[in-house]
Amino acid sequence: LLRGGGVGSGDGGGGSGDAAGSAGASGAKHAAARHSVSFSWLDGRVWMRVYRIQEAVGGGGVLDVAEIGPRLVLAPVRIIASGFGGAVLHAAN
């Protein structure tokens, strides 16, 4: 999980938010949001999704999870065992 400001974090600033939320350009206080990046291997492709996790409206300890993007699907040509060489673990047909 990632914490803090940045693009799309809802803090109103250019990444100056802290984990507890910050007063943005409008002076409004925003709830803290966490972000999660998911990588999955399915059908020979790498699927990436980005989610925002925050407390639901009304609180009560209920969490709200929303996919916020970007979505990305990668079709690897070759996966090798080490950074710059080694055994081929996967090769596209």
Side-chain angles (χ1 to χ4, degrees):
L1 295 175
L2 304 175
R3 287 186 154 189
V7 176
S9 68
D11 67 355
S16 61
D18 61 354
S22 64
S26 65
K29 195 76 165 169
H30 296 281
R34 295 183 180 119
H35 295 85
S36 176
V37 180
S38 168
F39 293 92
S40 303
W41 177 266
L42 180 66
D43 297 331
R45 292 181 173 84
V46 177
W47 299 70
M48 185 193 89
R49 298 291 187 263
V50 180
Y51 299 93
R52 180 184 63 233
I53 305 167
Q54 65 184 20
E55 190 171 339
V57 176
V62 177
L63 295 178
D64 180 37
V65 179
E67 183 180 350
I68 59 173
R71 292 179 174 181
L72 186 66
V73 180
L74 303 171
V77 175
R78 183 178 303 148
I79 300 175
I80 53 178
S82 64
F84 298 102
V88 176
L89 303 175
H90 171 80
N93 295 338

